[in-house]
Amino acid sequence: MRDLRKQDFAPTLLDFGPVQFYIARHFGFCYGVENAIEISYKALEENKGRNVYLLSQMIHNQEVNADLASRGIKFIMDTDGTQFISWEKIGKDDVVIIPAFGTTIEIENLLLDKGVEVQKYNTTCPFVEKVWNRAEKLGTDNYTIVIHGKPKHEETRATFSHSAAKGHSVVVRDMEEAQRLANYVTGGKTKSEFFEEFTGNYSAGFDPERHLQRIGVVNQTTMLATETQAIADFFRQVMITKYGDADLRNHFADTRDTLCYATNDNQDATYELLKLDADLAVVVGGYNSSNTSHIVDLCEQNFQTFFINSDSEIKSREEIHHFDYHKKERKVTYEFLSQKQPLKIILTSGASCPDTLVDRVMIRFLEFYPAAKPVEEILKEFAQT
Ligand code: SF4
């Protein structure tokens, strides 16, 4: 399945003279998103005159969603599950597309009960399904499933629903929450504290005294892979401390293989970018995109980083509008480009960002460097190497 060429994570340098771009080796659309978009356009094409709904925003990209909407697609809810169109309005003659993140068993059943042909335009990504299968297997083997994900994210809600149908499940957002959950493995905190602390994030009938003796970790596929691994390693250690090494398999299931290749590759390519001596980083993607926010997070470790959703956020050489995803607010930064030459800019994007947007961002920057070599010349040189 893996493209062998994708094993090289070194960035590409596009040297325009006064400005240089380091482009991540892997960025942009993943298989799941590309497939989902293709199927959405196909659904529109095949169902002229019918209502075509998308369960939620297909991908976390404003432009693609706006284009689909302009062609007649209606969104049933937003990414957090807030309903735009009530279920009563949807009937058996309507088309409902399931997004790449998948959906919950409850919603699938609700649509099936209405007679909607759910499977016809089900674009659930096979890598998400792989996580569900793994979670279901853990449940069947009597392990409790710890899901590393953002509790409100549609993929995590879908994974939780599938996993909770087969086994006890609990969601942890990050390492800090994992450490808090571990207090209930070791017996450091009480049952009632658990119900308060993890409200809304555990399956029905969950008993922290009984259901944290055997666990396995799966993730929302767009989480930071290294964090999921760290959480799994952490719980492994907690179980060894409590039950001893010899009995580990009885208490902890190894789930290393559930990470999505696209998220992994984009993140690995970002780690390579971190080794560079660059002046700033620009990450392009939707402001509600989970995988993009993790790339931003990584870049911020070493560079001044601007998270933008399109080239139109670069207002001028002096002014850029960008998103602070930690505070969930838009920001304006002035004089963000130093006079230094050559200026070294890292450029990458998330899994739900069309590659053309990255091109447009680069071209926008080039407008500020009249002495820059023409794009065709650089790409020609690049093609010959
Ligand atoms: S990020 Fe991975 S799991 Fe998610 S849609 Fe893309 S390929 Fe599928």
Side-chain angles (χ1 to χ4, degrees), residues 334-375:
Y334 297 97
E335 294 182 3
F336 69 105
L337 287 180
S338 82
Q339 297 299 330
K340 186 190 156 214
Q341 289 199 2
L343 193 76
K344 297 176 182 175
I345 302 177
I346 280 173
L347 185 53
T348 187
S349 72
S352 52
C353 175
D355 293 356
T356 50
L357 262 183
V358 176
D359 295 346
R360 273 160 40 191
V361 167
M362 187 175 79
I363 286 162
R364 177 71 177 134
F365 274 112
L366 287 172
E367 288 171 14
F368 308 136
Y369 295 91
K373 294 178 195 166
V375 175

Side-chain angles (χ1 to χ4, degrees), residues 119-371:
Q119 288 314 322
K120 191 158 182 193
Y121 298 107
N122 182 353
T123 74
T124 306
C125 176
F127 294 100
V128 173
E129 278 176 341
K130 188 176 162 195
V131 176
W132 296 354
N133 294 341
R134 194 60 210 259
E136 286 171 5
K137 170 88 171 70
L138 287 172
T140 310
D141 293 344
N142 213 18
Y143 286 97
T144 287
I145 304 110
V146 176
I147 302 164
H148 173 219
K150 296 179 178 168
K152 284 187 165 181
H153 190 283
E154 60 238 277
E155 185 188 314
T156 295
R157 292 201 312 272
T159 298
F160 178 79
S161 156
H162 284 261
S163 117
K166 286 281 171 14
H168 296 288
S169 306
V170 58
V171 181
V172 293
R173 171 183 282 277
D174 50 24
M175 179 59 100
E176 198 198 316
E177 262 191 23
Q179 286 167 343
R180 285 200 272 122
L181 183 67
N183 288 325
Y184 302 96
V185 176
T186 56
K189 281 182 143 186
T190 65
K191 236 185 198 192
S192 54
E193 284 174 301
F194 172 86
F195 294 131
E196 201 176 311
E197 218 172 330
F198 287 90
T199 292
N201 294 335
Y202 56 84
S203 52
F206 198 98
D207 179 349
E209 286 171 2
R210 289 193 298 130
H211 299 139
L212 289 172
Q213 294 171 11
R214 279 166 69 81
I215 63 167
V217 179
V218 299
N219 73 348
Q220 176 187 319
T221 55
T222 49
M223 297 306 273
L224 202 53
T226 48
E227 192 179 24
T228 303
Q229 198 50 56
I231 288 173
D233 290 345
F234 166 71
F235 279 119
R236 191 172 179 277
Q237 200 47 52
V238 168
M239 290 312 196
I240 291 176
T241 308
K242 179 151 186 192
Y243 298 102
D245 222 346
D247 206 19
L248 182 65
R249 279 181 65 180
N250 231 340
H251 298 279
F252 182 77
D254 189 358
T255 48
R256 235 164 244 272
D257 55 350
T258 58
L259 299 171
C260 151
Y261 86 96
T263 305
N264 258 345
D265 286 352
N266 283 3
Q267 288 174 7
D268 285 347
T270 311
Y271 285 114
E272 286 299 315
L273 294 174
L274 298 190
K275 297 177 186 165
L276 297 170
D277 171 29
D279 299 296
L280 69 146
V282 177
V283 182
V284 193
Y287 294 153
N288 54 357
S289 160
S290 175
N291 78 87
T292 313
S293 71
H294 294 308
I295 292 172
V296 171
D297 224 0
L298 293 177
C299 287
E300 282 176 347
Q301 291 175 13
N302 286 8
F303 312 106
Q304 184 181 24
T305 300
F306 298 102
F307 180 7
I308 59 175
N309 61 10
S310 87
D311 51 315
S312 62
E313 296 286 60
I314 307 166
K315 303 296 175 191
S316 69
R317 199 187 191 291
E318 283 77 37
E319 180 180 340
I320 188 167
H321 293 204
H322 55 106
F323 191 66
D324 180 336
Y325 93 93
H326 304 281
K327 295 188 178 150
K328 303 274 177 286
E329 64 185 28
R330 285 169 177 268
K331 278 192 165 170
V332 180
T333 299
Y334 297 97
E335 294 182 3
F336 69 105
L337 287 180
S338 82
Q339 297 299 330
K340 186 190 156 214
Q341 289 199 2
L343 193 76
K344 297 176 182 175
I345 302 177
I346 280 173
L347 185 53
T348 187
S349 72
S352 52
C353 175
D355 293 356
T356 50
L357 262 183
V358 176
D359 295 346
R360 273 160 40 191
V361 167
M362 187 175 79
I363 286 162
R364 177 71 177 134
F365 274 112
L366 287 172
E367 288 171 14
F368 308 136
Y369 295 91

